[in-house]
Amino acid sequence: MNNLLHASKLFLKRNSSTILTCIGAAGVVGTSVLAVKATPKAVALLEMAKEEKGEDLTALEIVQTAGPSYIPALIVGASTIACIFSANALNKRQQAALMSAYALMDSSYKEYRAKVEELYGEETGAQVRAEIAKDHINEADIPEEDDGKELFYDYFSGRYFRAKIETVQRAEYNLNRSLSTRDYAYLNEFYDDLDLEPLETGWAYGWTKAINLERHWQEWVDFVHEKTVTDDGLEVYILKMHGEPTLYFENYY
């Protein structure tokens, strides 16, 4: 019995938002049905009241006469509105909790990587990045060779792409220019300049001058192009950001 109660509470907690939304949807239908059913009764009452009075009813008299017929519809309608607002509040609370969890994981991961480089040196960090790039090359769809374009591996998103060095440098410049002129920049804007597909979370990741100052003691973002060679002899530039974007950075803006 206790297990059943516990399971029921857990089910309600997990699905409360969905349940409230379904109740709200049913309430909209119920309100409409009750209002339609109440209308003939209200019309009959108004006609009777008008005959008894012998003249047109005032606005107040119309409300007093017909209003009681619509009380069930009003009650259901009010309950429906309450369910809709409650579902919205729960959704916002769940989204806030999810955002906090992702931000915490993101922060912990970056802190871990920074500590590895601090303890074992930048050279070890570069070696780790090179090995990761080599591991991913077997899973990646490597772009075909193109004259004048180098092969890059974006360390943050784990993607290979080809571009001219000048194109990459221009994208880096544009990012820092956005930071300088408007105080913030989105990750997907950077990828757009590189002709890379945007990330689903690319509009949630970004930079601000304030965050960069707090975490890296500088307002801009530095980039490093670490050259490595894969086991197949491919030359790859690992694109690394010193000052990676922050998840839900707009909350800190």
Side-chain angles (χ1 to χ4, degrees):
M1 187 65 180
N2 288 336
N3 288 339
L4 180 61
L5 287 172
H6 179 71
S8 299
K9 288 180 180 178
L10 189 60
F11 175 82
L12 289 173
K13 185 175 181 181
R14 286 178 176 173
N15 300 280
S16 54
S17 177
T18 302
I19 292 170
L20 286 170
T21 301
C22 292
I23 293 173
V28 171
V29 176
T31 302
S32 301
V33 171
L34 289 172
V36 169
K37 284 186 175 181
T39 299
K41 182 180 178 181
V43 170
L45 289 172
L46 288 171
E47 288 177 353
M48 288 175 58
K50 184 178 179 181
E51 287 178 6
E52 289 178 3
K53 185 177 180 182
E55 60 182 358
D56 290 340
L57 302 176
T58 64
L60 180 59
E61 288 172 337
I62 291 173
V63 172
Q64 290 174 337
T65 303
S69 302
Y70 291 99
I71 287 177
L74 289 172
I75 292 173
V76 174
S79 302
T80 299
I81 292 171
C83 287
I84 292 170
F85 277 107
S86 298
N88 184 56
L90 282 171
N91 273 330
K92 285 186 176 180
R93 192 181 305 166
Q94 289 169 353
Q95 287 173 7
L98 191 61
M99 285 171 59
S100 298
Y102 274 123
L104 181 61
M105 289 173 60
D106 181 65
S107 176
S108 299
Y109 177 58
K110 288 178 180 177
E111 186 177 356
Y112 173 80
R113 281 165 48 179
K115 184 57 68 174
V116 168
E117 290 193 2
E118 180 184 328
L119 291 175
Y120 300 103
E122 177 62 28
E123 186 177 339
T124 300
Q127 185 179 351
V128 169
R129 287 189 288 274
E131 291 303 319
I132 290 174
K134 291 175 184 178
D135 289 342
H136 284 192
I137 202 166
N138 296 323
E139 309 163 4
D141 182 17
I142 304 300
E144 294 181 3
E145 290 188 18
D146 194 341
D147 289 343
K149 291 186 176 181
E150 305 289 348
L151 182 61
F152 283 86
Y153 175 75
D154 176 40
Y155 186 64
F156 184 80
S157 66
R159 295 183 292 179
Y160 280 91
F161 66 98
R162 287 192 183 274
K164 293 183 178 181
I165 293 289
E166 296 82 2
T167 301
V168 176
Q169 290 174 336
R170 189 182 307 114
E172 295 166 357
Y173 168 79
N174 288 341
L175 189 156
N176 281 309
R177 187 173 184 276
S178 293
L179 278 172
S180 175
T181 56
R182 69 182 188 192
D183 294 338
Y184 68 91
Y186 289 99
L187 177 61
N188 270 348
E189 292 177 325
F190 176 63
Y191 287 145
D192 184 58
D193 283 338
L194 293 174
D195 289 327
L196 279 172
E197 286 293 319
L199 297 180
E200 260 186 55
T201 55
W203 297 110
Y205 273 101
W207 299 264
T208 69
K209 289 197 293 187
I211 292 175
N212 289 347
L213 273 173
E214 179 184 339
R215 298 182 179 179
H216 309 292
W217 300 91
Q218 61 186 38
E219 294 181 344
W220 61 91
V221 179
D222 281 330
F223 292 88
V224 179
H225 306 156
E226 298 170 342
K227 190 174 182 180
T228 187
V229 180
T230 68
D231 296 337
D232 296 330
L234 280 174
E235 289 188 350
V236 182
Y237 288 95
I238 300 173
L239 177 60
K240 179 182 178 294
M241 311 168 188
H242 177 66
E244 291 184 342
T246 299
L247 184 61
Y248 302 119
F249 73 103
E250 290 175 316
N251 294 341
Y252 304 93
Y253 183 63

